[in-house]
Amino acid sequence: MAVATKELGVGGSSSLLLMDVPTETDTSSTPSIRGLIPRKEAKALLSVQVLPSDGRRKVIISESSPKARMHRVVLFDSAAIGSRESAPLRTFNTETMTTVLKALPTNSALTDSFAAGSSDGTVSIWDVRQSRVALKLHRPASAAAAMINSLDVRGTLFLAGNVDSGVVLWDMRMAPLGSAPPPEPTGRGIVREFYVPQGVSKAIFVGDAGDLCWSPAVGGLRLARALTQDTVDASGEKTSSSVFTELAWIPDANLLVAATERDAAVDLFAAN
């Protein structure tokens, strides 16, 4: 299995690293480096995703160099990383910084695509084959721009966590097609919006019914139904002060995995 990681380089450069990870049955092996691609022009790699496409595994990265006003998403063939043919397959230039990427599942309504959350609070759905934005999700013009730092997808629903305003849930079936913003963005396509004054560090879908879970920047976990504004405290008194920077849902075990940097710990929460 291959895992793409991002790393900030010393001296202002960045690199894309691909590693082979042992299988569950092969516990004696250790991860090994398959390939390394230096990204000299990029001051930072902000997000990495593996994109299933045409039967091959492709890696997409978002990179940025603010001083040079360079913001882009780059597509690589994972099989070529580390070889002489590791040049990018495609480059998608963006006007703003792409802060988080999310590959769309193969059964998505938009195949061979990925979602990109940006520093201006919008989510762009990129069509890889046509190298264009097929859909762009906006908040209302009256809403302050808030950088998206978390993005998850479930069917036609897109869940975005914002740095300083909370959680936004879009349904792309209700959003206008096209990349150009309307004259006055109305937030069309927004199903629910949960205001969190201090912002969130991570937001994901959990369960089969499309429930939402997020970690406020001040700590703890919150659960919400996708179709209501009701929220509950999911973390309990013991871990309510922890700020969880990574969340993952394990559907087969009905478990929520939450990791925190400050405590260097991973917590498991059983869904009721």
Side-chain angles (χ1 to χ4, degrees), residues 5 12 23 33 65 82 116 120 122 148 158 163 170 203 208 210 216 222 243:
T5 64
T23 61
I33 296 177
S65 180
D120 66 357
T122 60
I148 293 177
F158 290 81
V163 168
W170 279 285
D208 298 329
R222 306 294 292 181
V243 177

Side-chain angles (χ1 to χ4, degrees), residues 12 27 37 49 66 73 103 109-110 126 134 140 159 165 172 182 204-205 216 251 257-258:
T27 57
I37 299 181
Q49 282 280 290
V73 176
L110 294 172
W126 283 86
L159 178 65
S165 63
M172 72 176 186
I204 64 169
F205 287 107
V257 182

